[in-house]
Amino acid sequence: MYYYRYDNPEVSCCYKYLMFSYNIIFWLAGAAFIAIGFWAWSEKGVLLDLTRVTQLHGFDPVWLVLVVGGVTFILGFAGCVGALRENICLLKFFSGVIGFIFFLELTVAVLAVVFQSQVREWFNNFFLQNIKAYRDDIDLQNLIDSLQKMNHCCGAQEPNDWNLNVYFSCNGSHQSREKCGVPFSCCIPDPAVSPVPIGTQPGLLRKEWSEKIFIQGCIPALEEWLPRNLYTVAFIFIVISLLQMVGIYLARTLIADIEKVRFSH
């Protein structure tokens, strides 16, 4: 009886199913993000009237959820199908996009350090713009309230920034019950029944601010938070970078295996 030994190389099942397992998590996570995003839009009635998407003057957090979910879903799909079907094009697409995202993250981080003053100014203008749109969208409102509560801050630079919002402004002839006030998330420690007045006489009422509301702006608060939590931020960045590099390594290794098998036949 003769036994034949086949020396033809085969695609590594280890790398193949590691690649699949790595991506199935992101694929499912992406699908969940997309579902949450559309659910949030349906709750706000956006799906019944798509023109409302362009009517919001501030930042809609649902957009971020949908974009992150969409990118994650597409990458997870490309990685899973590319691994199972041994499709080089999908695997190259996966590794290329992951590499581009990694490079983009590094670029943004470097630019943020180099152009700190411009980033601070942009973020300040961005925050003020969203203060104006505070009542336009419930998700934006919850995001700003959470930011102010977590960081014990009020407004972009100070509580007076809320004068830019038409409902809280002391200027004008509107009869809003929130006139000359700030959101409940600015209050210390529990909100009152009505908004805390900031008034039009700062000389008198500024003395009472520290007893009733947070007087520090959110941008200075975030600038103080970052140095205190630098190691945490660095750790998160390193973990994300390692996950991306593992994905690129698995994809490139699997591509090399597939090409080796195809060229050997």
Side-chain angles (χ1 to χ4, degrees):
M1 184 178 292
Y2 296 95
Y3 295 92
Y4 294 93
R5 181 181 178 183
Y6 295 93
D7 294 326
N8 292 335
E10 297 180 353
V11 175
S12 171
C13 289
C14 178
Y15 285 118
K16 182 176 180 178
Y17 290 108
L18 272 177
M19 181 70 180
F20 174 79
S21 301
Y22 174 90
N23 281 279
I24 192 67
I25 299 172
F26 293 101
W27 193 6
L28 295 175
F33 270 76
I34 293 172
I36 291 171
F38 280 111
W39 171 79
W41 267 357
S42 68
E43 288 293 305
K44 294 189 290 187
V46 173
L47 296 181
L48 298 177
D49 182 12
L50 294 179
T51 58
R52 294 182 59 182
V53 174
T54 60
Q55 293 174 356
L56 180 64
H57 301 293
F59 170 69
D60 186 355
V62 177
W63 273 114
L64 180 61
V65 173
L66 288 174
V67 169
V68 172
V71 172
T72 306
F73 181 84
I74 291 171
L75 286 175
F77 173 82
C80 285
V81 177
L84 289 179
R85 303 295 299 173
E86 298 178 7
N87 188 305
I88 291 179
C89 290
L90 286 176
L91 291 173
K92 285 184 175 180
F93 170 79
F94 172 84
S95 62
V97 174
I98 290 290
F100 173 76
I101 292 174
F102 178 70
F103 175 77
L104 193 63
E105 290 169 352
L106 288 178
T107 303
V108 170
V110 171
L111 291 177
V113 172
V114 174
F115 300 101
Q116 291 185 34
S117 58
Q118 289 89 337
V119 171
R120 188 182 297 109
E121 182 180 357
W122 175 85
F123 192 70
N124 184 72
N125 294 333
F126 177 75
F127 201 108
L128 293 176
Q129 184 66 31
N130 284 287
I131 282 179
K132 295 178 183 178
Y134 176 77
R135 289 296 190 207
D136 294 353
D137 182 78
I138 186 63
D139 293 321
L140 175 62
Q141 179 178 320
N142 290 335
L143 181 63
I144 293 177
D145 285 339
S146 298
L147 181 65
Q148 293 190 146
K149 287 179 181 177
M150 289 173 59
N151 293 280
H152 295 173
C153 58
C154 187
Q157 298 292 340
E158 62 172 358
N160 263 335
D161 290 334
W162 284 100
N163 269 321
L164 295 173
N165 185 279
V166 65
Y167 296 99
F168 297 102
S169 175
C170 287
N171 305 318
S173 57
H174 66 89
Q175 300 299 318
S176 170
R177 72 179 185 87
E178 298 172 316
K179 185 175 183 179
C180 294
V182 292
F184 291 132
S185 54
C186 287
C187 300
I188 304 174
D190 297 317
V193 176
S194 59
V196 177
I198 58 177
T200 54
Q201 299 178 350
L204 174 63
L205 292 179
R206 277 182 184 270
K207 298 177 181 179
E208 303 175 2
W209 281 8
S210 59
E211 300 175 3
K212 296 181 179 179
I213 62 175
F214 303 122
I215 59 174
Q216 186 181 36
C218 289
I219 293 178
L222 290 173
E223 289 176 345
E224 292 179 4
W225 176 89
L226 186 58
R228 294 198 307 265
N229 297 272
L230 192 59
Y231 289 112
T232 303
V233 174
F235 175 77
I236 293 172
F237 181 78
I238 290 171
V239 169
I240 293 174
S241 300
L242 286 175
L243 287 173
Q244 291 171 332
M245 286 188 282
V246 167
I248 294 172
Y249 171 77
L250 290 174
R252 300 309 302 183
T253 303
L254 195 54
I255 289 171
D257 276 4
I258 295 170
E259 290 177 339
K260 187 187 298 182
V261 170
R262 290 181 180 178
F263 287 142
S264 66
H265 289 296

